[in-house]
Each structure stands twice: as structure tokens, then as C-alpha cells.
Amino acid sequence: MYKNIFDTHAHYDDERFNEDRDELLSSLFKGSVSHIINCGCDLKSSLTTIELAEKYPQLYAAIGVHAHEASDCTAEDLAEIKKLYSHSKVVAVGEIGLDYYYDFSPRDRQIEVFTQQVKLANELDLPVIIHDREAHEDTLNILKDLRPKGVVHCFSGSKEMAEEIVKLGLYIGLGGAVTFKNARRPIEVAEYLPLDRLLLETDAPYMTPVPFRGKRCDSAHIAYTAEKIAEVKSMDVQELIDICNRNAKKLFGINE
Ligand code: NI
């Protein structure tokens, strides 16, 4: 069994964990997983994320408003979330970003809410956790303009875009998608990506790696993602996991 897995992106507040959340998290932390960052997507899930972080010493909170929730979120919600950043377990602004695949919120509103939160992260000196789905150009322009520190999670762009992201000093999060049969792009990105820019993640309960694709994902499944990336990079799996653990601790300012 591997050890020291740092899952930099999960949603354990999701209702798919209602039946066994505590049992599962306890067993993960007794097993291969050392740390988890749980990401909120709106005020409600940001509050639940903080509750989880208070309960589990190795679980940290990222809080913010997701692209999908941009149109529903009010100025009061954003102000309420802003107050929560002083909590000692909150280590990032996220998950925030743009999603032009689903377009659940109008694009101009997505850009407004995203930009506002990147500016806030800079003000608070916190990293951002960015969701970018089919919005590569706008995402990149905002990042070039505002230059936050952080990670583009579940990276789905090309190798060329990955190069741009790396040039901006940002990290790239790779998850279960590298194990999928049609994974040409994520594999090219994994091949190219310098090891000091790589973070491992799940997006649990989603993006479950092969051979469990379709089932509920949890942080232990990162083993399969790490095995695939290590294979592509011709390196030892545990060494890759250890490097990504150090990268994550550095980015999110976690010492223990
Ligand atoms: Ni997510």
C-alpha cells in the first residue's frame, strides 16, 4: 500500500458520502491518505467544508463560489464567505473558475464572480483552486492579468496551455482522467509537466480512475492516477506521491 497521498481536491460534503462519511474519512486517514483539501462551491458547502476541517486534523478547507453557482450567489453570500477566510483551517480560495461546457451561469456573471475571488485571494495572500472547463482562453487571460498563486485543477487543456500555466508559476492538478481510455491530452500534459508543478487530486466523488470508473471516487483511488503518471514519467510511484505531497504542502502552507 502507498502512503502519504495528498488529495488536493475533493468534495466530501457531497450527499453521496452521507451514508458513511465519517467511517470513510477515518479509514482513509488510517490508510494511504495523509491530507485532503475539501473544496466548497457556495456558501452552504463552504460552511460544511469548514465543519469537516474542524473535525479532521488532516483535512483542510478551500472555500469559494463555483462557476455553476455564480448566478445564484448574492453579494451577501460573498461577504459571508469572505469572513470565513480568517479560519485557521482555510488554506485556499476555491473552487472558483469558469465553465463554458455546462454554462449554468451566464458567462459575464461567471467572469465577474471569478475575477472578484481571484482578487480577494491576492489580497489575502491565499492560493486559488481553479476550475476551467472549455473556458481556457478567458481563464488564461484572467490569470495572466491578476497573477494569483494556485492550481488549475482537473486540468483539461492542451500541453501548450499547460506550458503557459507553468510560466505563470501555477500548479496543475491531475486526477482520474489520466487513466481514461481516451486520455490523450492529460497524458501529454503529464509527460511534459515538470515534477515541481504537479499536484494529485480526485474531485471525489467524481472522476473515478479506471478500474473503478463509474463508481464513487474517494481519495485512496489516487493510487491509480499516481501509477499512471509514474508510468508515463518512468519513475517510482511512491516517489511521485511524495513529491506531490511536498508540492501541496508548499502551495497551501501546511507544515504538519
Ligand atoms: Ni471540484
Side-chain angles (χ1 to χ4, degrees):
M1 188 181 78
Y2 304 115
K3 56 181 177 52
N4 221 14
I5 288 175
F6 194 134
D7 184 357
T8 58
H9 194 114
H11 300 278
Y12 285 101
D13 53 290
D14 191 280
E15 60 179 17
R16 289 177 71 185
F17 294 109
N18 283 357
E19 295 286 295
D20 62 346
R21 182 175 295 110
D22 286 321
E23 206 179 76
L24 174 65
L25 283 168
S26 302
S27 80
L28 288 172
F29 288 131
K30 277 191 204 118
S32 59
V33 178
S34 73
H35 297 79
I36 294 169
I37 306 242
N38 202 79
C39 299
C41 295
D42 55 13
L43 176 58
K44 186 167 168 269
S45 61
S46 292
L47 287 165
T48 321
T49 293
I50 290 177
E51 273 171 37
L52 284 172
E54 285 174 343
K55 196 161 183 183
Y56 294 95
Q58 293 144 285
L59 187 148
Y60 290 80
I63 59 172
V65 176
H66 193 284
H68 292 338
E69 320 301 332
S71 55
D72 285 342
C73 106
T74 61
E76 289 74 31
D77 289 346
L78 284 164
E80 209 50 54
I81 291 175
K82 192 174 174 180
K83 286 187 208 154
L84 300 172
Y85 285 107
S86 60
H87 192 288
S88 63
K89 293 295 294 289
V90 175
V91 294
V93 177
E95 116 173 57
I96 61 174
L98 303 174
D99 194 312
Y100 296 172
Y101 176 75
Y102 285 111
D103 272 328
F104 286 157
S105 302
R107 292 184 182 181
D108 53 351
R109 178 63 181 159
Q110 291 189 41
I111 290 173
E112 188 187 348
V113 172
F114 178 41
T115 306
Q116 204 178 329
Q117 293 180 98
V118 175
K119 286 181 178 162
L120 176 64
N122 286 347
E123 205 178 290
L124 299 168
D125 195 28
L126 284 175
V128 287
I129 297 178
I130 299 158
H131 171 103
D132 157 29
R133 188 146 184 213
E134 298 194 4
H136 303 323
E137 199 186 330
D138 284 353
T139 300
L140 203 52
N141 285 336
I142 291 169
L143 295 176
K144 278 181 181 163
D145 187 30
L146 298 175
R147 301 298 300 261
K149 56 182 177 182
V151 53
V152 181
H153 113 88
C154 194
F155 186 76
S156 58
S158 62
K159 180 184 163 247
E160 289 69 32
M161 184 181 172
E163 288 171 352
E164 298 273 335
I165 297 292
V166 166
K167 259 191 245 161
L168 291 171
L170 294 157
Y171 290 80
I172 285 180
L174 293 178
V178 297
T179 68
F180 297 172
K181 259 213 176 82
N182 56 355
R184 189 180 57 82
R185 265 186 162 190
I187 291 294
E188 280 172 13
V189 170
E191 266 167 357
Y192 148 72
L193 194 64
L195 279 171
D196 66 351
R197 295 290 105 190
L198 172 63
L199 297 180
L200 293 171
E201 62 167 55
T202 54
D203 209 13
Y206 310 104
M207 300 298 286
T208 318
V210 174
F212 297 106
R213 199 172 176 185
K215 301 222 167 69
R216 186 184 75 174
C217 185
D218 67 56
S219 302
H221 289 133
I222 279 188
Y224 301 94
T225 303
E227 281 173 359
K228 185 68 196 181
I229 298 173
E231 181 195 316
V232 166
K233 288 191 152 333
S234 310
M235 65 183 291
D236 180 69
V237 183
Q238 186 60 56
E239 191 193 350
L240 179 92
I241 290 171
D242 291 341
I243 291 171
C244 292
N245 184 295
R246 284 200 294 276
N247 291 345
K249 282 183 175 164
K250 189 174 171 202
L251 176 64
F252 297 110
I254 293 168
N255 299 314
E256 61 265 52

